[in-house]
Amino acid sequence: MMRARDHQASPMSAVPFTNLTLRSELQSSIAIQGYESMTPVQEQTLPHLLNGKDLIAQAKTGSGKTAAFAIALLNKLDAQLYCTQALVLCPTRELADQVASEIRRLASNIPNIKLLTLYGGKAMGPQLASLRRDPHIVVGTPGRILKHIEKETLHLDKVQTLVLDEADRMLDMGFHDDIMKIISQTASSRQTLLFSATYPEAIKQISDKVQGDPVDIRVEASHHSPDIEQVFYQIENSKREEALYKVIAHYRPESTLVFCNTKQQCQELANEFRQHDLHALALHGDLEQFERDQVLTQFSGKSSSILIATDVAARGLDVKELAAVINYELSHDPEVHIHRIGRTARAGSKGLAVSLFTDSERRRLEAIEQYQGSPATLVSVSTLKIPEKLKLYPPMVTIFVNAGRKEKLRPGDLLGALTASGEIAGEQIGKITLFDKVAYVAVEQKMAKQALTMLADGKIKGRNYRARLLR
Ligand code: ADP
Ligand code: MG
């Protein structure tokens, strides 16, 4: 196995995409995206990817892995051949949608490319209709793709590029057997690419089974990120919840992602916090897809400042400007710890990472110190200052509307309905998110009632819809 470790490119040495030999349609769409130079993982993987090598790449969330494999698969795609040439497996519907849209953007200058997303929770009928002519590229989740293989509606024998994206998470979710069945349907001459944020033993095992002499690229999460202030508080187990409350009250981060090790903890903590006038939302694997969409929309629309999540649920979460990450409990795996805290301080901003641990978690603390190569900064809980009466409300509140893209609603329609009377100014309206059947609008807290009245009692695009505040 070849191995390239720790070749983190500094901004000074950034390599432009024009250094790569790519078809011209791709060069131009990369330029349209505004991608000037390659990210470290792109710089390290693309030369091998374009050489047709199998590859396993590990780099943290947000490092640009999607464009790396998207460019590789698009560069060798032949739009004249009507067969499925590339297959990307993703753990969730959301990630499949994100990957598909990045591939579509990068493919926008190559004429006649057909890309299809296939995941569960949608009717098979329309998918079957779309499959009547083989798409060039399929992006989807293992369960639904396997169903189509079994129905013989999807043909993978001409697949030249197979990508397992977020492979570690797919394995966590129990997709191992489905993945192996899917891979057995693909041509053995294919190029197999494995992308992952962490590198557990299970990844190595699957690589051994499905890849041929892969290039191994690991862009390590920086061990000493100067932009992250990392502190540890030793607590007693019975005081864990109280300590978390104190940490939030003391630092009052604008947005916080709290990591728990279990689903139950997430939900219990969120409920408890709400009783103490702290607006918190739980994100874990037991939520229905629409609940998950709703939680993420509220959090990214600044309508909740605290998101309490498990590692699996937080993966792929694309929230920019996370002010703080709090570990309610230390992770068993130091690599996961570094990955968690790397979610704050993105894009050059400063971040805060706070971890709570008990005496029985000492081993985990030592493992983290060893992994990051520096001692932990321990602080006493007694230094945390709590304001007398604490109410931490988020700046915005989200309104739910029971109409979406299917009703041909556009963000401008909602903006128009809210600002028409002049009572609410455009600046008081935040993020507007549309789904197929529902829409969400974030508005300033103090405008919540007026905004709700306008959307619930007034007309949107000439029609009446239901609306309610999400608290
Ligand atoms: P990952 O899969 O590694 O978690 P993504 O592929 O989702 O990360 O990329 C994160 C973000 O970075 C996306 O918004 C993407 O458009 C952007 N991005 C990717 N490559 C580049 C680049 N070379 N220059 C600037 N932005 C990029
Ligand atoms: Mg990704």
Side-chain angles (χ1 to χ4, degrees):
M1 256 196 201
M2 286 206 277
R3 177 159 290 184
R5 260 182 180 272
D6 282 325
H7 290 292
Q8 284 249 22
S10 72
M12 298 301 288
S13 67
V15 181
F17 281 99
T18 46
N19 273 26
L20 300 171
T21 311
L22 296 174
R23 60 202 289 179
S24 60
E25 305 103 305
L26 261 177
Q27 285 291 8
S28 58
S29 60
I30 290 167
I32 292 169
Q33 287 304 300
Y35 296 173
E36 284 167 8
S37 53
M38 292 184 256
T39 65
V41 70
Q42 291 164 355
E43 186 187 328
Q44 290 180 47
T45 58
L46 272 164
H48 303 292
L49 294 175
L50 297 172
N51 256 335
K53 291 288 294 177
D54 278 4
L55 178 142
I56 175 162
Q58 179 207 4
K60 69 174 190 166
T61 305
S63 53
K65 296 189 284 294
T66 320
F69 64 72
I71 290 168
L73 70 86
L74 287 170
N75 198 52
K76 66 177 177 190
L77 200 92
D78 183 353
Q80 311 295 317
L81 290 179
Y82 297 105
C83 57
T84 301
Q85 297 163 49
L87 172 66
V88 183
L89 297 179
C90 302
T92 65
R93 181 193 93 163
E94 256 170 283
L95 288 163
D97 275 333
Q98 279 175 29
V99 166
S101 59
E102 174 106 26
I103 297 177
R104 282 203 179 96
R105 284 196 297 269
L106 289 167
S108 59
N109 289 330
I110 311 174
N112 303 321
I113 289 209
K114 189 176 163 196
L115 181 152
L116 189 65
T117 53
L118 295 174
Y119 38 70
K122 283 209 167 173
M124 293 284 273
Q127 295 185 346
L128 294 176
S130 300
L131 281 165
R132 234 165 260 146
R133 210 178 80 189
D134 289 336
H136 296 111
I137 306 167
V138 170
V139 180
T141 53
R144 183 54 63 98
I145 284 176
L146 195 57
K147 258 197 192 144
H148 282 288
I149 292 174
E150 282 160 2
K151 277 188 176 299
E152 296 183 15
T153 45
L154 180 63
H155 314 105
L156 299 178
D157 51 314
K158 301 281 185 337
V159 164
Q160 298 193 353
T161 319
L162 171 78
V163 182
L164 306 186
D165 191 22
E166 305 266 2
D168 50 349
R169 182 160 171 213
M170 287 200 284
L171 296 179
D172 282 348
M173 292 170 75
F175 282 135
H176 177 274
D177 294 356
D178 285 1
I179 292 172
M180 295 306 285
K181 278 186 209 152
I182 294 168
I183 295 180
S184 72
Q185 300 297 311
T186 60
S188 55
S189 57
R190 67 176 191 263
Q191 181 181 21
T192 309
L193 311 177
L194 229 148
F195 286 80
S196 188
T198 61
Y199 199 105
E201 180 58 25
I203 294 284
K204 188 169 175 332
Q205 282 171 8
I206 206 163
S207 162
D208 288 347
K209 282 189 220 149
V210 304
Q211 296 190 298
D213 191 22
V215 179
D216 184 343
I217 302 286
R218 304 203 206 166
V219 182
E220 305 271 339
S222 172
H223 291 190
H224 291 281
S225 176
D227 293 330
I228 303 177
E229 181 192 350
Q230 194 181 188
V231 284
F232 293 78
Y233 291 92
Q234 180 162 4
I235 52 156
E236 280 166 42
N237 200 35
S238 61
K239 301 251 168 76
R240 209 184 276 277
E241 202 175 303
E242 189 186 324
L244 175 63
Y245 181 80
K246 284 183 177 167
V247 164
I248 291 175
H250 177 84
Y251 291 99
R252 295 175 171 233
E254 206 162 280
S255 54
T256 307
L257 180 56
V258 179
F259 281 103
C260 288
N261 291 349
T262 70
K263 297 174 193 175
Q264 294 90 317
Q265 264 177 350
C266 291
Q267 197 60 58
E268 281 169 22
L269 272 174
N271 296 346
E272 186 68 28
F273 270 36
R274 279 158 164 266
Q275 290 178 6
H276 287 90
D277 287 328
L278 284 185
H279 195 285
L281 293 169
L283 186 72
H284 53 70
D286 285 349
L287 299 184
E288 299 277 344
Q289 186 67 44
F290 83 93
E291 293 173 302
R292 191 177 151 86
D293 289 341
Q294 192 160 305
V295 164
L296 291 177
T297 306
Q298 276 179 277
F299 188 67
S300 62
K302 300 190 192 309
S303 303
S304 187
S305 318
I306 306 168
L307 188 64
I308 306 178
T310 55
D311 288 296
V312 169
R315 183 66 64 78
L317 189 96
D318 193 13
V319 274
K320 305 206 161 62
E321 301 163 39
L322 203 52
V325 165
I326 302 178
N327 294 307
Y328 188 59
E329 227 178 275
L330 290 182
S331 168
H332 300 270
D333 183 346
E335 193 181 337
V336 171
H337 177 84
I338 298 297
H339 190 68
R340 284 176 172 185
I341 69 169
R343 312 284 312 234
T344 176
R346 289 265 187 90
S349 58
K350 292 263 176 214
L352 172 72
V354 177
S355 302
L356 305 179
F357 72 99
T358 60
D359 211 30
S360 64
E361 290 164 72
R362 274 264 163 203
R363 280 259 172 74
R364 299 185 199 172
L365 179 72
E366 284 159 17
I368 290 167
E369 288 179 316
Q370 196 171 18
Y371 189 82
Q372 67 184 13
S374 63
T377 306
L378 303 186
V379 185
S380 161
V381 186
S382 64
T383 59
L384 294 172
K385 301 259 178 309
I386 308 167
E388 195 123 299
K389 204 163 187 307
L390 178 73
K391 282 201 177 187
L392 260 183
Y393 284 118
M396 313 290 278
V397 58
T398 293
I399 301 176
F400 161 94
V401 179
N402 76 326
R405 287 198 209 105
K406 286 251 160 72
E407 284 73 26
K408 305 246 183 302
L409 272 198
R410 282 164 305 158
D413 300 323
L414 292 157
L415 194 66
L418 286 167
T419 52
S421 74
E423 268 176 84
I424 302 179
E427 307 87 74
Q428 295 178 304
I429 299 165
K431 198 169 166 189
I432 299 179
T433 313
L434 288 165
F435 290 94
D436 280 352
K437 293 177 185 160
V438 301
Y440 298 96
V441 193
V443 296
E444 276 185 10
Q445 283 281 2
K446 63 172 192 269
M447 289 298 158
K449 288 229 170 68
Q450 282 109 306
L452 178 65
T453 311
M454 285 174 195
L455 294 179
D457 300 347
K459 288 190 192 298
I460 305 170
K461 234 184 158 186
R463 293 197 50 186
N464 287 312
Y465 293 108
R466 275 191 295 119
R468 65 184 165 81
L469 287 180
L470 298 180
R471 290 295 190 185

